[in-house]
Amino acid sequence: STQRPRPRVLLKAPTLAEMEEMSTSEEEESP
Amino acid sequence: RQVTVQRKEKDFQGMLEYHKEDEALLVRNLVTDLKPQMLLGTVPCLPAYLLYMCIRHADYVNDDLKVHSLLTSTINGIKKVLKKHNDDFEMTSFWLSNTCRLLHCLKQYSGDEGFMTQNSMKQNEHCLKNFDLTEYRQVLSDLSIQIYQQLIKIAEGVLQPMIVSAMLENESIQGLSGVKPTGYRKRSSSMVDGDNSYCLEAIVRQMNSFHAVMCDQGLDPEIIQQVFKQLFYVINAVTLNNLLLRKDVCSWSTGMQLRYNISQLEEWLRGRNLHQSGAVQTMEPLIQAAQLLQLKKKTPEDAEAICSLCTSLSTQQIVKILNLYTPLNEFEERVTVAFIRTIQAQLQERNDPQQLLLDSKHMFPVLFPFNPSSLTMDSIHIPACLNLEFL
């Protein structure tokens, strides 16, 4: 039987600025 | 007996699997520690294709956290490289090219029919299966704009010290120094003078260098066109602003040299197939200023000719140039006040901007048209120098 492919799930993305903040806080946390 | 072993053709799926714990190493080797020179002779934008293949596998196994993590690390890695190399044209161009290519891949293989019209059947098989990455495409688009702005800033920084010298002060036309206004004679030079002056060839050489780097790295032709449109705008703005403030360059001979220099730049654009980029149009104010310096400036008919020609110069700019205009010698008259009044009367209907000088910091908004690739993911090979054996 033919199955309709299920719709793709939208992945929510942070903004560019939010990604940079995440990166900065990770660097601050690491020893 | 000789035995012929038939090797089975490997059918690559066009994906790259990696362990989550290898993500940092992947981003280090493919982004942060990567030097463009390491990839000479390989397919342009190889990092973008490899990254897409990794994203594709994470999508294939339905691991959304892995997709998020890889895209975030990649984008942050690219930003880190660009911050470190914020004065490096080649590196910035390399990452503009790769970021745009990754964006094109995410569209081309998104599964959206609008982006699949030029795909082969094989390429359609390589589309994402589980995730819609529209929001990440927006992030990559924003990143591309930032990288483009950095690229322009670097290129303008290189050109800036050359512009006035090359466009207005250096004489390449033989015999022109004899026609300079009295008191303003300057010796001509063919290369850089001891006092850091530049000739037009220096600008042309630099443009050649920029063009070669961007082409070798596979930057989309539409983006290359926009880069040169922007750079030519800056040349126009800086040169014209200088002209509007200096008496010593408002002369017939400067007009002559300027027209020659502009024609050389136009020829360069044509030679690189960039004459449709809009770059020539951005030079129109300067072209008209150069012509204005050479036109007769005496009779009402002369005034009419000037007004119909100088459509890209404001009234204020035309009047300024006429006020600054320095005659060749004692036999040529200065531009009279009456002539300038005639010009102003003829142009009073115009709704001109009030400011005299052009904004040399103005940037045209950049567009990144969709540019799918004919390359198939199953044909990509990873060079050993990238140290990605764990993929």
Side-chain angles (χ1 to χ4, degrees):
Chain A
S1 59
T2 53
Q3 275 185 314
R4 195 179 290 176
R6 57 179 182 174
R8 294 173 182 83
V9 172
L10 177 69
L11 291 195
K12 301 293 286 172
T15 63
L16 207 49
E18 284 165 356
M19 278 191 189
E20 191 160 348
E21 272 168 44
M22 281 191 275
S23 162
T24 315
S25 58
E26 273 169 21
E27 276 170 34
E28 280 166 9
E29 276 170 26
S30 63
Chain B
R1 275 183 307 181
Q2 290 215 329
V3 175
T4 312
V5 176
Q6 189 159 12
R7 205 190 287 189
K8 193 181 167 197
E9 275 275 313
K10 250 193 168 178
D11 187 24
F12 294 106
Q13 289 180 289
M15 293 188 274
L16 288 168
E17 185 179 2
Y18 64 98
H19 297 302
K20 182 77 176 75
E21 50 272 23
D22 287 333
E23 184 191 276
L25 184 60
L26 168 63
V27 174
R28 192 158 70 238
N29 289 359
L30 198 51
V31 180
T32 41
D33 289 0
L34 185 64
K35 311 234 173 332
Q37 301 89 317
M38 289 159 65
L39 294 176
L40 282 174
T42 60
V43 67
C45 306
L46 182 62
Y49 291 119
L50 295 177
L51 286 163
Y52 174 69
M53 289 166 79
C54 294
I55 292 166
R56 212 191 129 215
H57 185 267
D59 166 83
Y60 185 77
V61 298
N62 208 16
D63 191 340
D64 62 316
L65 292 177
K66 205 176 188 190
V67 172
H68 275 302
S69 184
L70 179 57
L71 278 166
T72 305
S73 306
T74 298
I75 289 166
N76 283 333
I78 294 171
K79 290 194 72 153
K80 197 171 164 186
V81 171
L82 291 169
K83 201 169 176 181
K84 188 177 173 191
H85 296 274
N86 65 357
D87 211 20
D88 185 337
F89 185 88
E90 194 183 349
M91 189 64 99
T92 306
S93 169
F94 180 78
W95 283 109
L96 179 58
S97 184
N98 276 280
T99 306
C100 288
R101 181 43 59 196
L102 183 57
L103 176 56
H104 295 319
C105 282
L106 291 186
K107 287 179 179 171
Q108 182 174 3
Y109 298 107
S110 61
D112 292 347
E113 280 177 16
F115 294 128
M116 291 164 66
T117 54
Q118 294 176 63
N119 283 0
S120 62
M121 272 178 54
K122 187 60 120 183
Q123 287 177 316
N124 283 338
E125 287 171 25
H126 295 158
C127 284
L128 297 170
K129 296 277 181 292
N130 290 305
F131 301 126
D132 174 351
L133 299 182
T134 305
E135 292 198 6
Y136 277 100
R137 294 198 318 243
Q138 186 56 53
V139 180
L140 284 171
S141 178
D142 294 343
L143 179 60
S144 299
I145 292 172
Q146 282 189 6
I147 305 174
Y148 174 85
Q149 288 171 343
Q150 178 167 312
L151 187 73
I152 293 297
K153 188 167 172 239
I154 295 169
E156 286 182 357
V158 171
L159 289 175
Q160 187 85 7
M162 300 181 185
I163 296 172
V164 170
S165 175
M167 295 297 286
L168 289 176
E169 294 169 350
N170 198 273
E171 288 164 18
S172 59
I173 298 175
Q174 291 294 325
L176 202 57
S177 42
V179 196
K180 272 236 170 256
T182 321
Y184 289 120
R185 259 155 247 228
K186 202 171 165 102
R187 67 181 169 85
S188 62
S189 64
S190 59
M191 296 293 284
V192 176
D193 269 335
D195 55 46
N196 289 330
S197 63
Y198 294 89
C199 57
L200 190 72
E201 283 72 29
I203 290 190
V204 169
R205 260 198 311 277
Q206 196 55 64
M207 296 293 199
N208 276 331
S209 169
F210 291 152
H211 189 257
V213 165
M214 291 188 285
C215 286
D216 289 348
Q217 290 173 350
L219 190 57
D220 297 338
E222 295 85 355
I223 301 176
I224 295 178
Q225 287 190 350
Q226 291 177 80
V227 169
F228 283 107
K229 180 182 172 185
Q230 181 65 48
L231 294 182
F232 272 67
Y233 170 80
V234 165
I235 292 175
N236 169 78
V238 169
T239 309
L240 185 61
N241 284 352
N242 214 264
L243 198 77
L244 289 167
L245 296 173
R246 285 171 60 181
K247 207 177 168 59
D248 64 319
V249 293
C250 280
S251 65
W252 182 90
S253 56
T254 303
M256 177 84 164
Q257 183 66 58
L258 200 47
R259 286 182 78 176
Y260 175 74
N261 291 341
I262 293 167
S263 72
Q264 293 294 103
L265 291 175
E266 283 180 336
E267 203 179 304
W268 182 85
L269 286 167
R270 240 174 264 117
R272 293 279 176 280
N273 209 18
L274 291 166
H275 50 282
Q276 308 284 358
S277 63
V280 177
Q281 286 82 344
T282 66
M283 302 272 281
E284 196 57 31
L286 191 62
I287 292 169
Q288 290 176 7
Q291 289 169 329
L292 173 58
L293 289 172
Q294 293 204 289
L295 284 173
K296 288 191 349 320
K297 306 167 192 49
K298 218 168 166 166
T299 66
E301 290 76 26
D302 295 341
E304 212 175 304
I306 287 172
C307 293
S308 54
L309 172 79
C310 297
T311 50
S312 297
L313 292 171
S314 67
T315 309
Q316 209 179 359
Q317 288 167 340
I318 296 169
V319 165
K320 192 69 168 26
I321 291 173
L322 291 174
N323 272 319
L324 289 175
Y325 183 78
T326 310
L328 288 171
N329 48 43
E330 59 269 25
F331 301 111
E332 190 190 355
E333 285 175 23
R334 292 192 65 83
V335 180
T336 62
V337 173
F339 184 81
I340 294 175
R341 294 273 179 267
T342 312
I343 294 272
Q344 284 172 317
Q346 285 195 23
L347 294 177
Q348 71 183 24
E349 298 287 306
R350 277 203 199 172
N351 206 5
D352 282 338
Q354 284 307 299
Q355 63 206 56
L356 177 70
L357 303 179
L358 294 180
D359 178 9
S360 58
K361 298 279 175 243
H362 167 75
M363 272 196 69
F364 296 108
V366 64
L367 294 171
F368 298 111
F370 175 54
N371 186 8
S373 168
S374 55
L375 211 70
T376 48
M377 294 296 132
D378 56 353
S379 66
I380 305 274
H381 295 286
I382 309 177
C385 61
L386 289 179
N387 299 317
L388 296 172
E389 315 78 22
F390 55 91
L391 288 178

